[in-house]
Every structure is written in structure tokens, then in C-alpha cells.
Amino acid sequence: FTIFKSNFVNMKKYVNEKVDGILFDLGVSSPQLDDGDRGFSFHKDAVLDMRMDRSQRISAYEVVNGYSESELARILFDYGEEKLARQIARNIVRARAEKPIETTLELAKIVEDTYPAKTRWKFGHPAKRTFQAIRIEVNDELSSLGEVVTQMARRLEKGGRMAVITFHSLEDRIVKSAFKELSLACTCPPDFPVCVCGKVQEVELVNKKPIVASEGELEKNSRSQSAKLRVIEKL
């Protein structure tokens, strides 16, 4: 049993031979969320941090106080699927012009005040998408996900399996797309007499639809509600 402290995108550097199984458990961990000092939670006041690895340089503070309005809007829209991305970004820039935004509750309040009162709490805490987006940016969670999933699938032995647990739609979409590409055979147009693409099916989908938490698991662990499990088997 060996532990390597590194981003999962570097996994290919440490796995140099064929393996029987791989599990990706993506996203932030419960202990990190529960530790208010880590700055992941919009319920607990703490310094803006959100780094999974606290030795890295960039934190949520640098993102919130240093990124331009357009960069913030892009992150909130792309990584948080936030419909009010532009308005929230604008209000963040206005607030930090008076003083730096230093804590999680300061940021959460800016987001809350951006939402109209009628829809503010319609889908849970209004800041959850903003916090997700900034966390993803700080930890660079998505940029190489599809690539590393594909590369590591090719390190599986025949009959070996890869399981990936995702916790939001952006992760799941990337994994689903990578799995689909690996599971496809020839992609030539149907009217081609012979295959010219050379594409071969590399894996088989063990479950075509994602596996989600049972009612029993949800009762014990409410955070499993957003979890989706996808599995492939190497051919």
C-alpha cells in the first residue's frame, strides 16, 4: 500500500504497468467540508481558502479578489452553471473595491443579496453554485479529467474495471463522454464500404445509466444524494 500526494491528473506518472482496477473518487471530501477553517463552507465563517492541498499557492482569496469581472463571470457560469454569473461577478468587484473580500460569509452574503428575494432560497443556499465554481477553479478539478480517465482506462488489464464517482453534473458529463468514446467501435459513416478510421472498441459499459445512492444510503449520508457511479470494463 503506497500513498502518493498528488493531483489525480498526475496518476499516469505513478502507475507504469497494467492494473486490475481503478477507482476515482472525485471532488472535495467530507472532512474538508466539515472543517470550517478550510473555507469550503458557506455556512461557517472562515478565511477564503478552498485549497484541497494547502501547499499550493492560489486560494479562493486570490480568485475572488484578483480575477477580473469577466474572468469571474466565466468561472461562475462554466463551473457553477450559475445563471446570475455576470451580476454576481459585478457585485463581487464592487464590494472588493471598498475592501478585500476576506471570509466565506462575506462572499456568501454578496451572492445572497444578488438574488431576488422571491427566488433566493428556491433551490437551497444561493451561494452553493458560486462556491462550487471557485473551488473547481482553485483546485483545477476539470481541465484534464477526461484525458486522465482515458489514459488510465488504457492501463487496465483485460477484464479490469474502472469506477468513477462524480458529485456534480460537470464531472459526470466529462466522464460519460470519455467512457462513450472508449466504448465506440468504428465511427465511419454507415455508407462507407470499409472502415478507414481504425477506431476499435476499447471498453464495455458495465452500467449504461449511472448508479445512484439507495434510500437507505441517503438516510445515513445525505451528501450521497448528488453522487453518480459509472463503471467500465476493459476488453
Side-chain angles (χ1 to χ4, degrees), residues 44-199:
K44 302 174 183 178
D45 202 20
V47 173
L48 279 172
D49 193 332
M50 301 193 197
R51 292 172 296 172
M52 293 183 190
D53 178 359
R54 298 183 99 169
S55 67
Q56 72 183 48
R57 182 186 61 82
I58 189 170
S59 70
Y61 180 90
E62 280 75 36
V63 172
V64 170
N65 291 285
Y67 279 29
S68 68
E69 182 176 326
S70 61
E71 286 176 319
L72 286 170
R74 177 189 61 80
I75 290 167
L76 298 183
F77 184 79
D78 290 348
Y79 296 160
E81 300 178 292
E82 173 56 71
K83 293 181 179 179
L84 298 185
R86 289 182 181 179
Q87 295 94 316
I88 293 170
R90 187 183 308 123
N91 288 341
I92 287 173
V93 171
R94 285 175 178 171
R96 77 189 191 193
E98 298 181 11
K99 63 174 287 295
I101 301 166
E102 298 179 337
T103 71
T104 51
L105 292 190
E106 283 180 55
L107 177 59
K109 185 66 166 60
I110 292 169
V111 179
E112 287 177 36
D113 291 345
T114 303
Y115 266 80
K118 289 183 179 180
T119 60
R120 188 169 295 161
W121 303 98
K122 188 175 181 180
F123 301 106
H125 199 292
K128 64 181 180 181
R129 287 173 292 277
T130 294
F131 273 62
Q132 172 185 298
I134 294 171
R135 190 203 80 213
I136 289 172
E137 172 67 15
V138 168
N139 297 286
D140 191 22
E141 295 177 38
L142 299 180
S143 64
S144 301
L145 177 57
E147 177 188 354
V148 74
V149 164
T150 299
Q151 289 177 343
M152 295 313 302
R154 290 171 177 157
R155 297 276 171 94
L156 290 169
E157 291 278 13
K158 183 178 180 180
R161 289 189 171 192
M162 173 188 286
V164 183
I165 306 172
T166 62
F167 288 89
H168 56 76
S169 59
L170 296 173
E171 290 175 340
D172 185 59
R173 206 174 300 150
I174 292 170
V175 173
K176 180 182 179 181
S177 177
F179 280 9
K180 181 180 179 181
E181 180 66 24
L182 288 164
S183 67
L184 287 176
C186 173
T187 57
C188 294
D191 58 342
F192 274 33
V194 293
C195 174
V196 295
C197 71
K199 178 80 169 68

Side-chain angles (χ1 to χ4, degrees), residues 16-29:
N16 299 314
E17 56 191 35
K18 295 286 186 178
V19 296
D20 295 315
I22 297 171
L23 167 65
F24 284 97
D25 184 1
L26 304 178
V28 68
S29 70

